[in-house]
Amino acid sequence: MTAPLYLYLDTEYTSHEQPLLLALGLVSDGGEEFYAELSLQHAPFEDRQPLCNAFVQAEVLPQLGRGPSFADEDKMAEALALWLGQWPSDTLIFVSYDWSTDFQLLEQLLLRLPQGASLLARLEPVNLSILNTEPSAEAAKALSWQQSLQAEGVGAHHALADARALRAAYHSQSGGSSRNG
């Protein structure tokens, strides 16, 4: 078996009450990144926009439209499966998140695919929500968001920027060492 892979996940979605996926970001300790969002010009997004709560309308939606976009979740799932396919099929993948809805939306997305169950069998969820109360982890997130904002014009509440921030928060607590060598 190959060495395990450690990924950090964040999603953006309509609301806590009715979470429908808008965007998904994943980053690895090795620096690989995946980002996908629903295209602003297609029906799935247009149908979900009215379901977005005020926070999502103000903080999330203005940051969409700057990365790879897909007409629907099936296309997003296919792109994600391709990205995950870069690692050998015997690789155990730890997927860290700080909000359980993030992993649930990842599961729902992958299960849209015929091979979704086998992909999910490789994933081991790791809840890092405890980091949300650690001041040094929050400081690491803030610095990461600032770097994403300067480099790409996206910050907190953008799925890729938040996934990077989660990785930074984890490393702020683990001594900064990469688990992927």
Side-chain angles (χ1 to χ4, degrees):
M1 181 178 259
T2 58
L5 174 67
Y6 296 89
L7 299 178
Y8 303 85
L9 165 69
D10 190 75
T11 64
E12 302 303 337
Y13 48 89
T14 51
S15 69
H16 292 301
E17 299 76 29
Q18 188 175 7
L20 299 172
L21 186 65
L22 299 172
L24 181 142
L26 284 161
V27 298
S28 75
D29 274 338
E32 296 88 0
E33 297 184 338
F34 175 84
Y35 178 74
E37 63 185 44
L38 285 177
S39 171
L40 303 177
Q41 285 79 37
H42 288 87
F45 177 80
E46 292 169 352
D47 294 343
R48 292 171 189 202
Q49 190 171 7
L51 302 173
C52 293
N53 66 24
F55 175 84
V56 172
Q57 293 275 351
E59 301 294 329
V60 174
L61 298 186
Q63 297 191 82
L64 296 179
R66 302 174 195 208
S69 63
F70 298 87
D72 58 42
E73 285 178 307
D74 290 341
K75 301 287 187 222
M76 286 176 74
E78 290 167 8
L80 177 56
L82 253 151
W83 187 76
L84 290 171
Q86 70 183 299
W87 292 282
S89 61
D90 65 343
T91 304
L92 177 60
I93 303 173
F94 291 94
V95 179
S96 299
Y97 58 90
D98 63 358
W99 194 258
S100 61
T101 304
D102 294 331
F103 195 80
Q104 292 165 0
L105 289 170
L106 174 68
E107 287 177 308
Q108 290 171 16
L109 186 64
L110 288 174
L111 288 174
R112 299 178 79 81
L113 301 171
Q115 73 274 31
S118 63
L119 284 170
L120 279 173
R122 297 175 57 196
L123 305 184
E124 184 67 36
V126 179
N127 188 333
L128 296 180
S129 61
I130 186 93
L131 295 179
N132 294 333
T133 62
E134 293 293 328
S136 60
E138 288 301 305
K141 284 181 179 181
L143 179 59
S144 179
W145 285 321
Q146 181 181 29
Q147 291 167 343
S148 290
L149 194 58
Q150 289 173 346
E152 297 157 334
V154 295
H157 313 300
H158 180 276
L160 185 56
D162 287 354
R164 290 175 185 151
L166 181 59
R167 179 181 60 190
Y170 174 80
H171 287 294
S172 76
Q173 302 303 296
S174 67
S177 63
S178 171
R179 296 182 288 188
N180 281 359

Short mmCIF file of all heavy atoms in Angstrom, two decimals, residues 23 28 43-44 61 69 75 81-82 92 108 139-140 145 170 176:
data_model
loop_
_atom_site.label_atom_id
_atom_site.label_comp_id
_atom_site.label_asym_id
_atom_site.label_seq_id
_atom_site.Cartn_x
_atom_site.Cartn_y
_atom_site.Cartn_z
N ALA A 23 -19.88 25.16 -4.45
CA ALA A 23 -18.46 25.07 -4.80
C ALA A 23 -17.76 24.13 -3.83
O ALA A 23 -18.21 23.94 -2.69
CB ALA A 23 -17.81 26.45 -4.74
N SER A 28 -3.95 19.41 -0.88
CA SER A 28 -3.17 18.35 -0.24
C SER A 28 -1.99 18.96 0.49
O SER A 28 -1.62 20.12 0.25
CB SER A 28 -2.66 17.35 -1.28
OG SER A 28 -1.58 17.92 -2.02
N ALA A 43 -28.65 26.24 -15.21
CA ALA A 43 -29.84 26.03 -14.37
C ALA A 43 -29.54 25.59 -12.94
O ALA A 43 -30.16 26.12 -12.02
CB ALA A 43 -30.79 25.04 -15.04
N PRO A 44 -28.62 24.65 -12.68
CA PRO A 44 -28.44 24.25 -11.27
C PRO A 44 -28.12 25.44 -10.36
O PRO A 44 -28.69 25.58 -9.28
CB PRO A 44 -27.29 23.26 -11.31
CG PRO A 44 -27.37 22.67 -12.67
CD PRO A 44 -27.82 23.81 -13.56
N LEU A 61 -21.35 34.31 -2.79
CA LEU A 61 -21.66 34.51 -4.20
C LEU A 61 -20.76 35.51 -4.91
O LEU A 61 -20.37 35.28 -6.06
CB LEU A 61 -23.14 34.87 -4.39
CG LEU A 61 -24.15 33.81 -3.93
CD1 LEU A 61 -25.56 34.24 -4.30
CD2 LEU A 61 -23.83 32.43 -4.47
N SER A 69 -15.61 26.13 -13.62
CA SER A 69 -17.03 25.99 -13.34
C SER A 69 -17.61 24.90 -14.22
O SER A 69 -17.12 24.64 -15.32
CB SER A 69 -17.77 27.31 -13.55
OG SER A 69 -17.69 27.72 -14.89
N LYS A 75 -20.89 16.81 -13.81
CA LYS A 75 -19.61 17.23 -14.41
C LYS A 75 -18.59 17.54 -13.32
O LYS A 75 -17.41 17.22 -13.46
CB LYS A 75 -19.81 18.44 -15.32
CG LYS A 75 -20.77 18.21 -16.45
CD LYS A 75 -20.17 17.33 -17.51
CE LYS A 75 -21.10 17.27 -18.71
NZ LYS A 75 -21.21 15.94 -19.27
N ALA A 81 -13.35 13.04 -9.63
CA ALA A 81 -12.88 11.66 -9.74
C ALA A 81 -11.58 11.61 -10.54
O ALA A 81 -10.65 10.86 -10.18
CB ALA A 81 -13.95 10.80 -10.40
N LEU A 82 -11.49 12.39 -11.60
CA LEU A 82 -10.25 12.45 -12.38
C LEU A 82 -9.10 12.96 -11.53
O LEU A 82 -7.99 12.43 -11.57
CB LEU A 82 -10.45 13.39 -13.58
CG LEU A 82 -10.55 12.69 -14.91
CD1 LEU A 82 -11.41 13.49 -15.86
CD2 LEU A 82 -9.18 12.48 -15.48
N LEU A 92 -4.86 5.33 0.78
CA LEU A 92 -5.86 5.76 1.75
C LEU A 92 -5.81 7.28 1.81
O LEU A 92 -4.73 7.87 1.96
CB LEU A 92 -5.58 5.16 3.13
CG LEU A 92 -6.50 5.59 4.25
CD1 LEU A 92 -7.95 5.20 3.95
CD2 LEU A 92 -6.04 4.99 5.57
N GLN A 108 -22.10 13.12 -1.27
CA GLN A 108 -23.22 13.21 -2.21
C GLN A 108 -22.72 13.42 -3.64
O GLN A 108 -23.25 12.84 -4.59
CB GLN A 108 -24.16 14.34 -1.82
CG GLN A 108 -24.95 14.08 -0.57
CD GLN A 108 -25.71 15.32 -0.11
OE1 GLN A 108 -25.89 16.28 -0.85
NE2 GLN A 108 -26.16 15.30 1.14
N ALA A 139 -5.39 32.43 13.65
CA ALA A 139 -4.38 33.35 13.11
C ALA A 139 -3.78 32.78 11.83
O ALA A 139 -3.55 33.52 10.85
CB ALA A 139 -3.30 33.63 14.14
N ALA A 140 -3.53 31.48 11.80
CA ALA A 140 -2.99 30.84 10.60
C ALA A 140 -3.99 30.92 9.45
O ALA A 140 -3.61 31.15 8.29
CB ALA A 140 -2.61 29.39 10.90
N TRP A 145 -5.87 33.30 4.33
CA TRP A 145 -6.90 34.03 3.57
C TRP A 145 -6.31 35.30 2.95
O TRP A 145 -6.61 35.64 1.82
CB TRP A 145 -8.08 34.38 4.46
CG TRP A 145 -8.98 33.24 4.78
CD1 TRP A 145 -9.37 32.23 3.94
CD2 TRP A 145 -9.60 32.97 6.03
NE1 TRP A 145 -10.20 31.36 4.60
CE2 TRP A 145 -10.36 31.78 5.89
CE3 TRP A 145 -9.60 33.62 7.26
CZ2 TRP A 145 -11.11 31.23 6.92
CZ3 TRP A 145 -10.35 33.07 8.29
CH2 TRP A 145 -11.09 31.89 8.12
N TYR A 170 -4.31 23.49 10.55
CA TYR A 170 -3.82 22.20 11.02
C TYR A 170 -2.31 22.26 11.27
O TYR A 170 -1.82 21.84 12.32
CB TYR A 170 -4.15 21.07 10.03
CG TYR A 170 -3.50 19.79 10.47
CD1 TYR A 170 -4.09 19.01 11.46
CD2 TYR A 170 -2.28 19.39 9.95
CE1 TYR A 170 -3.47 17.86 11.91
CE2 TYR A 170 -1.65 18.25 10.40
CZ TYR A 170 -2.24 17.48 11.38
OH TYR A 170 -1.62 16.36 11.84
N GLY A 176 3.80 22.47 11.96
CA GLY A 176 4.08 22.89 10.60
C GLY A 176 4.63 21.82 9.69
O GLY A 176 4.95 22.08 8.54
#
